[in-house]
């Protein structure tokens, strides 16, 4: 057994894991964060995507011990308290969700992209979700949802800047 310490969704986490355990299994089975899906188990479908130290990774391919000292974000940790992340909202609004199995992985790949590229091109979006497979909806609505979320995030940042400068009321922020 190995004592794994890392930061999970902004909070310190510590769990005993067996040698050879994969990160996806620790997240789902021991920490009950079942939003991270276990699909192919080979790093081919992207259903298990989480963000590790700012990079989207397939958690089914990450030995749990490699997460020691890392900062891990899962789908459960991206939304503000009592709210939804703009990506989650845009996926719903754009109809980019059908069965929903791939959605957490898609959103985590998209979040990693938007964290680094707030104004992604269509090609950058396609590249970012290239490791995520959707067997239901297709990719047009997903790409549109990511673009819309990028616009909403930018709009919110601009409103926040205006609020900080005292131009507008901050009541809605």
């Amino acid at each position: 057994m190995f004592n794994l310490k890392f930061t999970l969704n902004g909070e310190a986490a510590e769990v005993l894991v067996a040698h050879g355990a994969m990160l996806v299994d620790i997240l789902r089975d021991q920490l009950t964060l079942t939003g991270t899906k276990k699909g192919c188990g080979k790093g081919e479908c992207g259903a298990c995507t989480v963000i590790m130290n700012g990079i989207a990774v397939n958690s089914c391919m990450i030995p749990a011990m490699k997460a020691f000292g890392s900062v891990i974000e899962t789908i459960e940790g991206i939304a503000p308290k009592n709210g939804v992340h703009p990506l989650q909202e845009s996926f719903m609004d754009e109809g980019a969700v059908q069965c929903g199995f791939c959605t957490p992985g898609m959103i985590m790949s998209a979040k990693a992209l938007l964290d680094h590229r707030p104004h992604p091109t269509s090609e950058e979006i396609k590249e970012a979700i290239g490791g995520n497979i959707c067997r239901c909806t297709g990719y047009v609505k997903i790409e549109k949802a990511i673009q819309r979320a990028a616009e909403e995030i930018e709009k919110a940042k601009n409103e926040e800047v205006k609020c900080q400068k005292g131009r507008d009321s901050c009541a809605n922020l």
Side-chain angles (χ1 to χ4, degrees):
M1 296 298 272
F2 178 77
N3 191 23
L4 175 63
K5 295 179 181 180
F6 60 111
T7 301
L8 178 62
N9 296 329
E11 297 185 13
E14 185 172 346
V15 63
L16 282 175
V17 299
H19 289 281
M22 304 308 278
L23 181 59
V24 67
D25 297 319
I26 301 307
L27 294 172
R28 289 184 54 82
D29 301 339
Q30 290 186 246
L31 298 170
T32 63
L33 297 175
T34 56
T36 302
K37 304 301 181 203
K38 189 171 183 179
C40 66
K42 299 176 183 174
E44 295 176 358
C45 73
C48 64
T49 302
V50 298
I51 299 175
M52 181 174 178
N53 298 328
I55 299 170
V57 298
N58 292 319
S59 61
C60 72
M61 300 300 293
I62 305 292
M65 292 175 22
K66 285 215 171 204
F68 189 89
S70 296
V71 175
I72 306 289
E73 293 178 80
T74 68
I75 192 72
E76 290 89 348
I78 68 168
K81 197 170 192 169
N82 299 323
V84 294
H85 188 277
L87 277 163
Q88 293 168 313
E89 189 168 344
S90 66
F91 267 64
M92 290 185 287
D93 291 346
E94 294 296 333
V97 176
Q98 195 159 350
C99 84
F101 189 80
C102 71
T103 306
M106 289 278 187
I107 288 176
M108 295 311 290
S109 291
K111 184 180 183 305
L113 170 67
L114 297 182
D115 286 349
H116 298 285
R117 301 280 301 167
H119 309 287
T121 65
S122 177
E123 291 305 315
E124 289 170 328
I125 292 172
K126 289 175 185 172
E127 184 177 330
I129 62 170
N132 297 83
I133 295 173
C134 175
R135 293 182 172 91
C136 303
T137 304
Y139 298 91
V140 174
K141 291 180 178 180
I142 291 169
E143 183 183 333
K144 189 173 179 182
I146 294 168
Q147 194 66 49
R148 181 177 175 168
E151 293 165 7
E152 292 298 321
I153 291 168
E154 180 69 19
K155 182 179 170 184
K157 284 181 183 174
N158 288 338
E159 288 175 6
E160 187 176 311
V161 169
K162 286 180 185 176
C163 179
Q164 289 173 351
K165 291 181 179 178
R167 293 183 189 163
D168 296 323
S169 170
C170 298
N172 294 331
L173 296 178

